[in-house]
Amino acid sequence: MSEPDKTTGPAVVGKESAQPPAAGASLLAPDWLPAPGDANALTDRLWAAGVARDGAGQLTVQGIPAAELAETFGTPLLVVDEDDFRARARAFKSGFEAAFADLCGGADVYFAGKSFLTLSTARWAAEEGLRVDTASGGELAIALRAGVDPAHIGLHGNNKSDAEMLDALTQGVGRIIVDSVDELRHLAELAAQHGLTAPVMLRLTPGVHAHTHEFIATAHEDQKFGLSLAPATGDDDGNVTGRSPASVAVEAALAAESVELIGVHCHIGSQIFEADGFALAAQRVLAFLAEVRDAHGVELAELDLGGGHGIAYTAVDAPRPPAQIAAALAEAVRAATAEHGLACPRISIEPGRAIAGPAGLTLYTVGVTKTVDVDAPDGTTAARRYVAVDGGMSDNPRPVLYDADYTAVCANRAPQATPVLSRVVGKHCESGDIVVKDVYLPSDVARGDLLAVPATGAYTHVMGSNYNALPRPAVVAVTGGAARTIIRRETVADLLDREVDPQDPAR
Ligand SMILES: *Cc1c(COP(=O)(O)O)cnc(C)c1O
């Protein structure tokens, strides 16, 4: 996954920004962040469907007050609205199924497990008719233990170990997405040694990299993933070939008796809002499938267009519904297959963030607050309020890794104090330990209050760490108006349990 850029883009009119700017707009605020009229407002597209405020102003998840969740399960707490997760999974399934129904008999949706893989989330995805993508032996083990049909599991990775590949082969995984010529040859050998056939998709890099509202199209891509469509000056052995790694891999795959070449795959980025990048990638890859047919007389059966569908992290993000992306993609696939006289391959996609992200929110308890003076861009001095919470980069590393923006609201009450520009920070020994870089919070938010950060379902639990020996948070799922633990909170005892020191008195 790569998220090189900060989430930016034209401001769209949402519930908050539609209101006239309130007094107290800060010179330190980024352009995209207006001072809100009501800092307690919940912008719909940021929150899981079950999130609301009750009559007393408290944030609730399917009717359960935030304070009750915090009291029962502790904080920091990742709360997942299971019904919302399932609804988003269904929206992808039905949207793509409908758009591709008459073109190529529907489409398969793989939940990109790496975004938020647990036994529960894998099972929910499978129960909603999705398949599951994994990217390691560990993820594969979770999907299998969740009861996902091995034939409906994909295995990714740019450097799969022999053990991982063998595991996938013997478990009957439906597709192994191969990343390089080297890996293809090695996998073919492994499969042959064990008398097995490897179901292979080739991951291609079509020279399209998309993020938010833009995509970049090039011939070459300087990245570790995939097989380039562009002719290479030399192969891995230093021979001059003038052929693309993709065509070398196709030839090798077709020649290997232990390989069944199912199709090709591409994944062009993350946090993508527009369909044009996906469409261009599909065109380039379909043109390649036409070349394969012309060279080898084979029409490959499947085309996976990857994941990367964007979500709203702040009020400026306005993602399109899955059905709209699906319709645009179906049009591109229809045009390209017609142009090349190709039968439409079976289409699949791999959304992760767009299913898991908005279904989650993180509850934190506020500790220290303080205000610091900062030099403002106009030469004056402006105040920034720091609000420190009981988690941080260990439960959500995206701000420190990608400079990612989030927002937050006070969850245990709806304070009426004037909103002031605030920075929500964690408790780690690292100045980059930011939870929400810029948000207007009521000026009286203080020790003991709860903050809720929306859109934290994806790439948080799965990227968590134990930095500063902080035990990782619990994950609770809410459905039918009831909350239950799906990942228990880690304890300091869990951390100490891995210690093997000969002088340890507790041994
Ligand atoms: C990360 C990844 C995905 C999922 O990306 P999202 O942004 O979570 O939708 C899908 N496919 C591949 C190959 C990936 O690497």
Side-chain angles (χ1 to χ4, degrees):
M1 181 176 88
S2 71
E3 296 190 6
D5 312 318
K6 170 172 174 290
T7 301
T8 55
V12 297
V13 177
K15 274 186 195 163
E16 291 171 357
S17 52
Q19 294 164 1
S26 169
L27 289 167
L28 301 177
D31 291 343
W32 58 264
L33 183 68
D38 176 5
N40 301 308
L42 301 175
T43 302
D44 280 347
R45 64 180 174 279
L46 294 176
W47 298 89
V51 175
R53 283 198 189 269
D54 65 15
Q58 177 157 201
L59 185 141
T60 59
V61 184
Q62 295 194 14
I64 310 171
E68 186 181 320
L69 289 166
E71 175 74 23
T72 310
F73 301 101
T75 60
L77 185 68
L78 178 53
V79 183
V80 190
D81 181 335
E82 176 181 338
D83 302 350
D84 185 86
F85 180 107
R86 287 176 180 271
R88 288 177 204 277
R90 279 198 300 275
F92 270 101
K93 181 72 185 147
S94 61
F96 276 79
E97 193 70 47
F100 286 94
D102 60 341
L103 187 58
C104 37
D108 297 317
V109 179
Y110 285 76
F111 171 53
K114 75 171 198 246
S115 65
F116 187 15
L117 193 64
T118 66
L119 292 184
S120 300
T121 54
R123 184 170 52 76
W124 302 341
E127 285 171 359
E128 298 302 337
L130 272 59
R131 301 175 172 209
V132 176
D133 257 340
T134 61
S136 72
E139 289 187 0
L140 176 56
I142 294 173
L144 288 169
R145 185 149 134 198
V148 181
D149 178 353
H152 290 176
I153 296 177
L155 178 67
H156 276 277
N158 72 302
N159 186 23
K160 304 168 192 75
S161 69
D162 286 14
E164 289 171 328
M165 289 193 274
L166 259 183
D167 202 18
L169 287 171
T170 52
Q171 300 279 359
V173 158
R175 46 164 77 165
I176 300 176
I177 298 90
V178 166
D179 212 83
S180 61
V181 174
D182 175 290
E183 183 175 76
L184 178 72
R185 294 193 172 128
H186 192 61
L187 173 63
E189 237 167 71
L190 265 181
Q193 275 165 19
H194 292 80
L196 297 164
T197 302
V200 163
M201 288 189 94
L202 296 174
R203 177 164 177 172
L204 309 179
T205 45
V208 179
H209 188 85
H211 191 69
T212 60
H213 300 281
E214 281 158 8
F215 68 85
I216 304 166
T218 55
H220 300 280
E221 283 189 66
D222 187 4
Q223 60 152 309
K224 71 172 185 175
F225 293 112
L227 294 147
S228 178
L229 291 181
T233 48
D235 67 13
D236 291 337
D237 307 319
N239 305 311
V240 176
T241 63
R243 298 177 57 204
S244 71
S247 57
V248 172
V250 164
E251 193 176 291
L254 291 173
E257 267 180 35
S258 58
V259 167
E260 184 202 352
L261 183 57
I262 300 172
V264 293
H265 170 284
C266 63
H267 172 73
I268 59 166
S270 64
Q271 196 48 4
I272 303 166
F273 288 129
E274 308 297 338
D276 48 4
F278 290 118
L280 177 60
Q283 283 164 21
R284 287 187 173 187
V285 169
L286 285 161
F288 176 72
L289 291 185
E291 287 172 27
V292 169
R293 176 203 52 204
D294 296 345
H296 302 286
V298 182
E299 287 200 26
L300 298 182
E302 298 201 28
L303 167 58
D304 191 301
L305 295 170
H309 311 87
I311 66 167
Y313 283 108
T314 71
V316 299
D317 298 327
R320 298 182 192 284
Q324 245 182 56
I325 301 272
L329 269 178
E331 211 24 69
V333 169
R334 185 189 304 277
T337 48
E339 180 191 338
H340 299 292
L342 278 170
C344 184
R346 177 82 181 177
I347 299 293
S348 53
I349 55 160
E350 305 170 329
R353 184 193 316 268
I355 292 170
L361 64 92
T362 306
L363 284 179
Y364 297 100
T365 302
V366 173
V368 166
T369 58
K370 65 172 161 189
T371 302
V372 301
D373 281 341
V374 177
D375 295 334
D378 70 349
T380 61
T381 300
R384 187 189 317 279
R385 193 155 191 264
Y386 276 85
V387 176
V389 296
D390 52 352
M393 61 190 285
S394 56
D395 60 77
N396 185 358
R398 290 190 67 257
V400 73
L401 277 178
Y402 312 120
D403 202 18
D405 285 312
Y406 283 88
T407 189
V409 297
C410 185
N412 55 311
R413 60 193 181 103
Q416 295 309 302
T418 311
V420 293
L421 186 73
S422 304
R423 178 160 289 173
V424 182
V425 296
K427 62 180 277 128
H428 292 278
C429 303
E430 160 67 49
S431 54
D433 174 30
I434 289 167
V435 177
V436 183
K437 207 180 325 159
D438 296 293
V439 58
Y440 285 93
L441 289 174
S443 60
D444 63 346
V445 164
R447 182 176 290 276
D449 276 327
L450 296 173
L451 291 188
V453 175
T456 57
Y459 303 108
T460 53
H461 165 69
V462 291
M463 289 183 134
S465 76
N466 292 119
Y467 183 38
N468 293 134
L470 252 65
R472 285 169 290 184
V475 183
V476 302
V478 183
T479 185
R484 67 179 196 287
T485 303
I486 60 170
I487 298 282
R488 75 158 167 82
R489 185 174 300 282
E490 207 168 28
T491 62
V492 173
D494 288 329
L495 304 182
L496 282 168
D497 211 34
R498 299 183 60 221
E499 292 279 353
V500 189
D501 180 73
Q503 314 270 310
D504 178 3
R507 272 176 69 83

